[in-house]
Amino acid sequence: MSIDSIGSTAPARSAERNAADTGLTQGAARAAGGSGTTPAAALETNAAVKGGAPVPTLDQVTKAVSELNQSKQAQVQGLEFSIDNDSKRTVVKVVDQTTKEVLRQIPTVEVLEIAKSLDSAKGLLLKQTA
């Protein structure tokens, strides 16, 4: 009995879906009674993960951050977007509209400081070469 069949009228999971979840090959899924084909969504997801999107340039990220800061929804929600100068990471702040106090920052100031110190310590942790 599968979890999907408990308390619902939905049909039980197909053999190829179970095979994908348990790591079986398509041949094993066919032997278990499935058609051996994988869903299109899985193929699209696999291609997206393996192919990877092109990495945006710093100028593109800066432009996107500027556009986000100018949007009405971000202003109403109290969101501020920026780029940390040292780590070049995108920073999101939730700001109280009345007091302009930063309520939350992601990543936190401490994490940014740790990342900065790790960058300066690069090469000190491992002294071996390949």
Side-chain angles (χ1 to χ4, degrees):
M1 176 181 286
S2 71
I3 293 175
D4 291 339
S5 64
I6 297 173
S8 71
T9 59
R13 298 172 83 185
S14 65
E16 66 262 11
R17 176 85 186 251
N18 287 333
D21 290 348
T22 58
L24 294 175
T25 62
Q26 286 183 353
R30 243 182 261 118
S35 64
T37 61
T38 57
L43 291 175
E44 292 166 2
T45 303
N46 190 20
V49 170
K50 283 188 177 182
V55 178
T57 64
L58 185 59
D59 291 334
Q60 291 172 327
V61 173
T62 304
K63 182 180 176 188
V65 165
S66 175
E67 290 173 4
L68 283 171
N69 283 328
Q70 293 173 1
S71 73
K72 291 290 183 194
Q73 186 174 8
Q75 292 172 359
V76 170
Q77 298 285 334
L79 297 176
E80 289 182 8
F81 299 89
S82 61
I83 299 173
D84 181 56
N85 292 331
D86 297 325
S87 65
K88 305 294 186 233
R89 293 177 187 261
T90 306
V91 178
V92 181
K93 295 178 185 177
V94 180
V95 180
D96 185 356
Q97 293 297 320
T98 57
T99 64
K100 301 298 182 195
E101 176 188 0
V102 176
L103 301 173
R104 180 112 193 212
Q105 177 177 324
I106 303 168
T108 63
V109 175
E110 295 83 7
V111 169
L112 292 172
E113 289 295 322
I114 290 170
K116 188 165 104 175
S117 66
L118 285 177
D119 280 344
S120 64
K122 197 180 287 183
L124 297 176
L125 298 174
L126 300 173
K127 294 184 179 186
Q128 296 176 338
T129 57

